[in-house]
Amino acid sequence: MPLVPMKDILQEAEKGGYAVGAFNCNNMEIVQAIITAATLENAPVIVQASQGALKYAGLEYITALTRLAAEKTHVPVALHLDHGTGFEQCVKCIGGGFTSVMVDGSKLALEENIALVNRVLSVARPCGVSVEAELGKITGTEDDIFVSERDSLFTDPEEAKYFCEQTGVDALAIAIGTAHGQYKGEPKLDFERLSRIHELIDVPIVLHGSSGVPDEALKEAVRRGVRKINIDTNIREAFMGAAKAALEAQPDMLDPRKMLAPARDAAVEIIREKIRVFGSSGKAVK
Ligand code: G3H
Ligand code: 13P
Ligand code: ZN
């Protein structure tokens, strides 16, 4: 079916009490893996493109690949800009066929973040495109954050309430202890904070940096209100692990398909596992 706005998918997730996987893509094989996994699991899904993906593959290729893949499946698919850098990039993606954009104003002061999100909403809304914002600071696992400083980066529940009232945004990414990339130890999530935020806002909550978060913690986050879960690193690990194994088994390999096909299969498997953990398996067709 044609690409759908992310808002529609997340509204259903809110009603059903599950989370939808938002998986990062960089090339044809990963787009195919995401859609194959979602189709086999009969699950709604979000395909998202980071700054790196847009630089590597280009907006037109990402849009064309995802649109085609979506048209070939029965499950709802949204195409989302991940960590959009500002107004201009969001407008470009809206014009280019994305059905959702994130504008990452998390480094801005609160009122500036609100103003930026409202500016993006003023263009996105009339086009039927959804908007995700971020409040609090989600770091990278490579950033050395002291425990004392960690909490100050977390999303303040009252501020989240004010932010949602002032913007009417479609999804809100929050900082509760996850980080982008491979974790050195086990991440500790602030579940109390998540519950408090969920009590105060009725906007679907987004968890970034979810690769490497134990399944039980992810399930608990879903029980406490998370509705979109971002996964990139776990796909890279699976994809590259299988690609390296194929190359090691046949070092003289000349045919890239012999490396990319097992890599794609490995990505399908990890995405299916995540979809089951998030509770969205079987939710595409009632
Ligand atoms: O935002 C999270 C992505 O994992 C960043 O990935 O290296 O493709 O920009 P990138
Ligand atoms: P991970 O790579 O840690 O899964 O993070 C993905 C993400 O949050 C993309 O926005
Ligand atoms: Zn992220």
Side-chain angles (χ1 to χ4, degrees), residues 178-199:
T178 57
H180 292 112
Q182 280 180 321
Y183 291 98
K184 289 173 197 129
E186 193 173 298
K188 292 269 169 293
L189 274 58
D190 187 341
F191 287 119
E192 299 284 303
R193 186 181 296 265
L194 168 58
S195 291
R196 182 78 187 124
I197 296 170
H198 188 51
E199 260 167 42

Side-chain angles (χ1 to χ4, degrees), residues 109-274:
L110 178 64
E111 294 300 333
E112 285 173 35
N113 192 355
I114 290 171
L116 174 64
V117 171
N118 280 333
R119 198 164 167 229
V120 173
L121 275 164
S122 72
V123 177
R125 279 269 191 278
C127 302
V129 171
S130 318
V131 178
E132 174 182 332
E134 178 174 325
L135 195 61
K137 290 183 184 65
I138 301 155
T139 57
T141 48
E142 70 286 0
D143 299 333
D144 273 324
I145 310 282
F146 294 108
V147 179
S148 53
E149 144 188 37
R150 207 176 85 116
D151 285 20
S152 70
L153 305 174
F154 286 1
T155 308
D156 178 75
E158 297 293 336
E159 218 167 81
K161 180 173 184 275
Y162 175 73
F163 189 89
C164 292
E165 286 165 355
Q166 297 299 310
T167 58
V169 75
D170 300 309
L172 185 68
I174 60 166
I176 55 163
T178 57
H180 292 112
Q182 280 180 321
Y183 291 98
K184 289 173 197 129
E186 193 173 298
K188 292 269 169 293
L189 274 58
D190 187 341
F191 287 119
E192 299 284 303
R193 186 181 296 265
L194 168 58
S195 291
R196 182 78 187 124
I197 296 170
H198 188 51
E199 260 167 42
L200 292 177
I201 68 171
D202 49 20
V203 169
I205 296 172
V206 184
L207 194 66
H208 283 244
S210 308
S211 296
V213 177
D215 288 353
E216 268 321 305
L218 290 174
K219 286 183 185 169
E220 184 63 18
V222 176
R223 280 193 286 271
R224 291 178 184 249
V226 165
R227 298 293 171 248
K228 171 178 181 265
I229 301 185
N230 288 12
I231 297 281
D232 187 357
T233 303
N234 279 156
I235 301 176
R236 297 180 187 204
E237 290 165 347
F239 192 91
M240 292 309 296
K244 280 182 202 161
L247 262 183
E248 276 162 21
Q250 244 182 293
D252 300 330
M253 182 190 289
L254 257 184
D255 183 346
R257 295 168 296 193
K258 295 206 165 113
M259 179 186 76
L260 292 170
R264 182 174 56 189
D265 291 346
V268 171
E269 280 320 302
I270 186 72
I271 295 166
R272 290 189 72 174
E273 281 171 31
K274 295 294 167 187

